[in-house]
Amino acid sequence: KQEVTQIPAALSVPEGENLVLNCSFTDSAIYNLQWFRQDPGKGLTSLLLIQSSQREQTSGRLNASLDKSSGRSTLYIAASQPGDSATYLCAVGTGGFKTIFGAGTRLFVKA
Amino acid sequence: DAGVIQSPRHEVTEMGQEVTLRCKPISGHNSLFWYRQTMMRGLELLIYFNNNVPIDDSGMPEDRFSAKMPNASFSTLKIQPSEPRDSAVYFCASGGSSYEQYFGPGTRLTVT
């Protein structure tokens, strides 16, 4: 059974710092991995989608990497800003559209 | 496009009542998902449809829950009878061929 773990559960950093959020999964037979952002009381916003054949994806200050063999993905945020404060969730696609979510990392960027 | 639309945004009901949540996916998307989010269990996939057909409903907690997708632009999630432990935020999401999922704003359900 696929399990998705995100570490740390919460993170507080000063503005401007570069940071890395971690996601690990137990079964390497995945179709894709997606990173989402969730603001309090809101829905999820897709940030990056990495297909199983890809190693990384970039969008602006965000870079996500995928290492299927070790069951890991990282989300790198460069030059963090207070507006980046949110919960970040990773989600593993296990077949077709079936998706397993991690519990998320709550990020707070201090001005 | 207006994105995924869910209604109502908030629902408060008494135990035993029937609850119906509604979702309009993004036009052109052929997959639709219903999720439930709670503090204790996080985000759980309840059911998903592809081309209006239910593909996997293994996440539906019990027979009190049912979901339908009568056409490509509308889906419902029904709970009958509702119980206090059903209180959660219910999200609908839709997706196209890229497997990227787009979420609606959610329905916050409170069962008293």
Side-chain angles (χ1 to χ4, degrees):
Chain A
K1 178 187 170 188
Q2 178 75 268
E3 293 183 1
V4 181
T5 304
Q6 292 188 245
I7 294 174
L11 181 64
S12 181
V13 300
E15 181 177 7
E17 190 162 301
N18 301 325
L19 60 99
V20 174
L21 307 181
N22 296 293
C23 173
S24 61
F25 44 95
T26 54
D27 187 344
S28 61
I30 67 170
Y31 281 67
N32 54 61
L33 187 144
Q34 194 165 357
W35 283 93
F36 291 87
R37 167 187 173 135
Q38 185 175 27
D39 293 285
K42 306 283 188 184
L44 281 69
T45 300
S46 176
L47 298 174
L48 291 164
L49 171 69
I50 311 176
Q51 302 292 354
S52 62
S53 58
Q54 298 174 321
R55 298 281 296 186
E56 66 177 349
Q57 284 285 344
T58 298
S59 176
R61 294 183 294 108
L62 305 180
N63 175 274
S65 67
L66 174 63
D67 184 344
K68 278 190 356 178
S69 61
S70 66
R72 293 178 184 275
S73 176
T74 61
L75 179 66
Y76 174 82
I77 303 177
S80 58
Q81 303 170 358
D84 295 329
S85 298
T87 296
Y88 291 80
L89 298 102
C90 76
V92 170
T94 61
F97 275 95
K98 188 155 189 176
T99 307
I100 309 294
F101 278 80
T105 293
R106 194 168 1 165
L107 173 66
F108 180 64
V109 181
K110 297 172 286 188
Chain B
D1 198 313
V4 176
I5 299 172
Q6 292 187 246
S7 64
R9 294 293 311 277
H10 302 273
E11 177 80 32
V12 180
T13 191
E14 292 184 347
M15 182 173 65
Q17 296 298 307
E18 177 180 298
V19 175
T20 299
L21 311 181
R22 297 173 176 79
C23 175
K24 177 178 168 56
I26 293 173
S27 177
H29 282 184
N30 56 5
S31 293
L32 182 139
F33 311 80
W34 283 101
Y35 289 92
R36 177 172 69 176
Q37 187 175 42
T38 61
M39 289 292 292
M40 290 294 293
R41 301 176 65 91
L43 198 62
E44 302 173 283
L45 177 65
L46 301 177
I47 184 171
Y48 75 94
F49 296 82
N50 193 45
N51 293 323
N52 311 339
V53 176
I55 302 301
D56 187 336
D57 65 355
S58 59
M60 296 285 263
E62 35 193 293
D63 292 345
R64 297 184 297 107
F65 287 68
S66 63
K68 293 182 180 179
M69 192 165 185
N71 57 62
S73 59
F74 184 66
S75 177
T76 60
L77 178 68
K78 186 178 293 186
I79 308 173
Q80 166 63 18
S82 57
E83 297 183 4
R85 60 195 168 114
D86 301 330
S87 297
V89 180
Y90 291 81
F91 288 104
C92 175
S94 69
S97 57
S98 70
Y99 294 99
E100 193 165 0
Q101 295 185 33
Y102 297 83
F103 279 69
T107 294
R108 182 173 297 276
L109 173 65
T110 303
V111 183
T112 61

